[in-house]
């Protein structure tokens, strides 16, 4: 119940499995978000362990755990922390809770169901690298997550876990809850910082590539994803060896993955990283249980709306970046969207392209103009008024955002070999390329569906415009 | 110049005090203004500018970037129907069309009784529970057409108090107790590492 007496419904979606549970271990409790339950189930022990060691030792533990960032880019957290230039103070922590990548649903669960775990993770990070203030940036459209975190912060301040002289040590840090106001691009870490400074949320020109060197107020700033930080209490309590015993050497631990679309049991699963395959997830009896109505799989998006698409040919790839990249896509933010044989592919691709066109911040011309054009061309194709020339035009426009070969999966039936990830881009951030990714995948893997939609429409008369000086 | 109520003004000062630079309070204060009035008025933007030491044009600049800030009156309930991929695959388009018929308005507009604003929206991080929608940023999951009708009947009932009106987000506020607060320092006033860090070791690590 909130202060005003309105009950908060529990966020659904999580499906427990027999796999090890690192970040979802408390999700089965009705009161998982309270400090009482948290303390009863080993909560704040990771912080106590951290405080009994030197900050360098704690940083070392996280580095040795090879914890890969769970926000999308998959960069090792411990390495990222090491990018803070020595001798530059103060340093800040910004928590990226702006989850809004299409298909992604995990950080909201972690914030609503186990906010103390996230808070403990923040405290461990601040202690390890000397961050003097933490800003917890939650997406604006998540009223319940904001409530749960506010309550958890109030409890944790009261109990002496946050603020001055934490647990009687000289470690002192404030955590400030902050929330956004509706802008996908703010999930990009430099745009997040702009937003936190009170500005329009537009990404900053790079280099510097990492805000760890120049970030919030021009100071060294660590931006970490909610799931990444939520792993830290477990790592500190159980040690990096126990963490690395799960998953593979290069992708240790677990990952939260949301599977949505045309499957029998859509849900959020905590899976073993590195070894679980897309087939395990989509067809596994204890996971999604196959495609709805036992239909055939047409395609799936493996890593959030920005990721190039896969088909049944890629089902046996594991959740391992070093294998998915060469196959032409990315694991991104742990979001799989499944399309069965009944799916209208151009229409499905349009739902993503219009998202990115809508969410372009307008800073880079190729994204602002290109995204809009991609959407408009796609719209007329889907509506049945496109022409054959439009199919080439899509690629032409896409190449102004991403010059050269765009990554795509291999396909036996169509005789395609994979073009590996990543792509070249003419924009500062990934919003522009993301508008093109679904168009390119759909057009490469399912060109016949586009051709069927434009068949019989005669090309418009294009007027060649010559500009003379 | 006085838009905020006395209580909210006090809260505004508390919020500003949490940030190393006061401009960072811009978005939280815009939310507070929207909570008070249901939308962001010009008076609110003027006062926010004054509070954080910037012009109302700067406030408008930030405000206009973010979709949640409404610069005109909207309905008591803003209904956002997700139309991005996962929801689209599960029938979002049909749901949105049904909503338009049920409410008698097009997406993007408000019913004449001022009760509902309908919007087609983008991914709401509830993709496994498609199709989903939000009422004032609170989720409803796996919404069927009849669920939608039922929801609208429920919200239209004047006795309904289950969903706070538009503008109200978290109903629990963060409160940092003064005796526990470390306090925000302007970045230029700090040039030494925090006390628990020994710089020499840090530099060598």
């Amino acid at each position: 119940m909130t202060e005003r007496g309105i009950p908060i419904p529990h966020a659904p979606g999580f499906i427990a499995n027999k796999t090890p549970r690192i970040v979802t271990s408390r999700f089965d409790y009705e009161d998982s978000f309270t400090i009482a339950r948290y303390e009863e189930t080993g909560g704040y022990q990771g912080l106590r362990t951290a405080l009994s060691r030197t900050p360098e030792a704690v940083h070392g533990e996280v580095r040795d755990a090879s914890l890969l960032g769970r926000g999308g880019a998959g960069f090792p957290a411990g390495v990222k922390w090491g990018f803070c230039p020595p001798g530059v103070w103060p340093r800040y922590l910004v928590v990226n809770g702006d989850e809004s990548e299409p298909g992604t649903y995990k950080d909201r669960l972690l914030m609503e169901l186990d906010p103390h775990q996230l808070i403990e993770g923040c405290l461990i990070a601040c202690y390890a690298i000397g961050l003097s203030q933490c800003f917890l940036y939650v997406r604006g459209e998540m009223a319940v997550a904001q409530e749960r975190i506010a309550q958890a912060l109030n409890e944790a301040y009261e109990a002496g876990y946050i603020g001055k002289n934490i647990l009687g040590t000289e470690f002192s840090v404030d955590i400030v809850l902050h929330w956004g106001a509706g802008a996908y691009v703010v999930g990009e870490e430099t745009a997040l910082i702009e937003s936190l400074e009170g500005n329009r949320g537009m990404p900053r020109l790079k280099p510097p590539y990492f805000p760890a060197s120049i970030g919030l107020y021009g100071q060294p700033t660590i931006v970490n994803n909610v799931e990444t930080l939520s792993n830290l209490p477990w790592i500190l309590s159980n040690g990096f060896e126990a963490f690395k015993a799960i998953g593979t050497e290069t992708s240790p631990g677990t990952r939260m993955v949301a599977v949505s679309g045309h499957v029998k049991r859509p849900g959020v699963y905590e899976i073993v990283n590195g070894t679980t395959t897309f087939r395990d997830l989509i067809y596994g009896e204890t996971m999604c249980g196959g495609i709805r109505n036992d239909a055939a799989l047409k395609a799936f998006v493996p890593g959030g709306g920005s990721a190039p698409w896969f088909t049944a040919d890629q089902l046996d790839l594991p959740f391992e970046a070093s294998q998915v990249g060469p196959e032409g896509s990315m694991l991104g933010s742990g979001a799989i969207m499944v399309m069965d044989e009944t799916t209208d592919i151009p229409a499905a691709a349009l739902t993503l392209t219009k998202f990115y066109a809508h969410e372009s911040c307008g800073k880079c011309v190729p994204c602002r103009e290109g995204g809009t054009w991609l959407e408009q061309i796609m719209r007329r194709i889907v509506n049945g008024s496109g022409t054959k020339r439009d199919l080439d035009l899509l690629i032409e426009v896409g190449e102004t955002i991403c010059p050269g070969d765009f990554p795509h999966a291999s396909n036996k039936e169509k005789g395609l070999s994979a073009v590996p990830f990543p792509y070249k881009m003419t924009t500062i951030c990934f919003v522009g390329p993301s508008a093109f990714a679904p168009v390119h995948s759909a057009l490469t893997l399912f060109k016949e569906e586009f051709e069927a939609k434009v068949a019989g429409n005669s090309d418009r008369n294009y007027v060649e415009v010559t500009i003379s000086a | 110049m006085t838009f905020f109520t006395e209580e909210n003004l006090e809260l505004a000062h508390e919020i500003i005090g949490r940030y190393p630079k006061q401009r960072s309070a811009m978005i939280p204060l815009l939310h507070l203004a929207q909570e008070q009035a249901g939308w962001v008025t010009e008076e609110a933007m003027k006062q926010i500018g004054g509070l954080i030491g910037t012009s109302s044009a700067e406030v408008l600049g930030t405000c206009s970037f973010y979709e949640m800030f409404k610069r005109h009156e909207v309905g008591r309930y803003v209904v956002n129907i997700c139309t991005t991929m996962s929801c689209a695959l599960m029938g979002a388009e049909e749901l949105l069309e049904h909503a338009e018929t049920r409410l008698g308005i097009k997406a993007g507009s408000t019913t004449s009784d001022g009760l509902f604003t309908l919007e087609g929206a983008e991914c709401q991080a509830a993709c496994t529970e498609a199709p989903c929608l939000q009422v004032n940023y609170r989720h409803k999951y796996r919404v069927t057409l009849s669920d939608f009708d039922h929801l609208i009947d429920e919200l239209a009932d004047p006795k309904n108090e289950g969903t706070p009106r538009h503008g109200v987000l978290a109903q629990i506020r963060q409160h940092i107790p003064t005796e526990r607060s470390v306090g925000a320092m302007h970045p230029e006033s700090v040039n030494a590492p925090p006390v628990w860090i020994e710089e020499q070791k840090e530099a060598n690590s």
Side-chain angles (χ1 to χ4, degrees), chain A residues 241-252:
Chain A
E241 280 133 335
F243 186 78
K244 293 200 83 166
I246 303 168
T248 58
E249 180 66 24
T250 44
S251 297

Side-chain angles (χ1 to χ4, degrees), chain B residues 79 95 98-99 102 133 143-152:
Chain B
V79 179
L95 180 60
H98 176 79
R102 173 67 172 82
L133 62 80
V143 184
T144 64
L145 304 189
S146 64
D147 286 347
F148 184 83
D149 291 341
H150 185 68
L151 173 70
I152 295 300

Side-chain angles (χ1 to χ4, degrees), chain A residues 26 28-43 113-114 116 155:
Chain A
R26 288 176 201 87
D28 303 335
Y29 296 106
E30 272 295 308
D31 59 351
S32 61
F33 53 90
T34 62
I35 195 164
R37 175 62 65 192
Y38 192 64
E39 286 177 323
E40 215 177 284
T41 49
L113 299 187
D114 205 344
H116 283 285
E155 288 171 339

